[in-house]
Amino acid sequence: NWFGMARQAFFLLVEQALKRPESQWGMYLRRMKEAYATRHPDKTKMQVHRAAMWRTATRFNRWLYREWRKLEFPAKPGVKSKAA
């Protein structure tokens, strides 16, 4: 389960992606909406929109975690990182 404030923060972040369609996450959101609409033609536009929003939030969360890990635990010289 998501902590309520974190869930709200991710929702607001994805809303910003809507307002900035040329940003990296704005383009990702648009691609997800197109993909969902293609895979689920029976769904309403709002259902597709919400599914794409939460998919974008999930992917952003994963990206943020990986970036944080790189900063917090830098790779040791000579050791190959799993992320690479």
Side-chain angles (χ1 to χ4, degrees), residues 3-83:
F3 183 72
M5 290 176 70
R7 185 179 178 97
Q8 183 178 12
F10 280 115
F11 182 83
L12 292 173
L13 177 103
V14 175
E15 249 187 9
Q16 289 301 308
L18 281 170
K19 295 176 183 177
R20 293 172 176 80
E22 299 307 317
S23 70
Q24 173 187 353
W25 294 104
M27 289 186 283
Y28 184 84
L29 176 62
R30 193 172 31 216
R31 283 195 314 268
M32 287 298 100
K33 285 171 87 168
E34 291 169 2
Y36 276 113
T38 302
R39 279 184 288 196
H40 305 286
D42 57 323
K43 301 291 184 188
T44 67
K45 286 185 179 182
M46 184 52 88
Q47 288 172 316
V48 167
H49 174 73
R50 287 188 58 134
M53 284 185 72
W54 286 117
R55 175 59 167 247
T56 303
T58 300
R59 291 300 166 111
F60 177 81
N61 187 19
R62 289 179 185 170
W63 172 84
L64 183 62
Y65 177 76
R66 283 192 309 267
E67 293 301 310
W68 170 77
R69 291 283 298 184
K70 287 179 197 174
L71 293 172
E72 191 69 22
F73 305 104
K76 296 178 180 146
V79 176
K80 188 175 181 182
S81 139
K82 290 182 182 179

